Amino acid sequence: MTNDARHWLLRDLPYAAMLALAVGGIVLTSFRGPTTYYYWMALAPIYGLICVVSGWRHLDTGAGHMQLAVTQALHWFAFVAAMWLMFLPEVRGVVNDNATSLSLLILLALGTFVAGVHARVWRICAVGVFLAASVPAVAWVQESAVLLLIGAVLLIVVGLVFWWMWRRESGRA
């Protein structure tokens, strides 16, 4: 691996990890149970740590570092509180899993973008924009999954009918 590739990987790996963790959360949200809850609750501190580490090098004073740390801690604490509300049994009882995953993705997109603004790191803002732009795509996949499943079942049924007719026809000949 060349030095340029290594430098790029080390510089952009945290942002790629943010995206990968968000996708993991979306996939996991379709399942019920405590694992989903704990995953999303652990995601905020990880994002917050990435924001602090990324923004740290842009500041040169101790006061600036302290302000960044406090701002990010409060920001991601508020995000955890909003996610906690989404996982309350009263909310989960009226909101289906697809809506929950989309709502959490929208919250994460907004939270990430604003955290990037506070940390003054454009790459974090870009992750937030990418997450926001992916909301319609995720919604389409979730909506189309049922359609694709029905299409696949129909295709299998038609194939089985033709296979049965072919076997029946072969038995006569």
Side-chain angles (χ1 to χ4, degrees):
M1 185 183 298
T2 67
N3 279 341
D4 289 337
R6 186 175 295 124
H7 175 60
W8 176 84
L9 183 64
L10 289 175
R11 184 189 69 205
D12 292 335
L13 186 62
Y15 316 114
M18 291 172 92
L19 291 170
L21 289 169
V23 169
I26 293 165
V27 170
L28 195 60
T29 302
S30 61
F31 303 104
R32 287 196 175 251
T35 305
T36 303
Y37 174 78
Y38 294 125
Y39 183 89
W40 281 98
M41 291 300 159
L43 196 63
I46 293 168
Y47 268 48
L49 183 61
I50 291 171
C51 292
V52 169
V53 169
S54 298
W56 196 268
R57 63 178 166 251
H58 298 293
L59 302 169
D60 52 358
T61 66
H65 292 147
M66 182 58 94
Q67 182 182 8
L68 174 67
V70 168
T71 301
Q72 290 296 322
L74 290 172
H75 173 86
W76 290 105
F77 177 76
F79 180 75
V80 166
M83 284 192 310
W84 177 76
L85 291 172
M86 291 295 302
F87 282 105
L88 284 176
E90 297 82 7
V91 176
R92 292 290 294 201
V94 296
V95 178
N96 69 28
D97 291 337
N98 288 344
T100 299
S101 67
L102 287 175
S103 298
L104 289 169
L105 182 58
I106 291 167
L107 274 173
L108 185 61
L110 176 63
T112 303
F113 181 82
V114 174
V117 170
H118 288 298
R120 297 184 182 131
V121 179
W122 70 267
R123 285 181 176 88
I124 294 173
C125 292
V127 169
V129 169
F130 182 83
L131 292 173
S134 69
V135 170
V138 170
W140 181 83
V141 168
Q142 287 178 344
E143 184 177 297
S144 299
V146 173
L147 181 64
L148 293 172
L149 178 64
I150 291 170
V153 168
L154 285 174
L155 193 62
I156 290 169
V157 167
V158 168
L160 287 172
V161 167
F162 275 105
W163 176 77
W164 179 74
M165 289 170 46
W166 173 78
R167 293 274 299 169
R168 199 169 150 214
E169 205 49 45
S170 316
R172 280 193 208 167

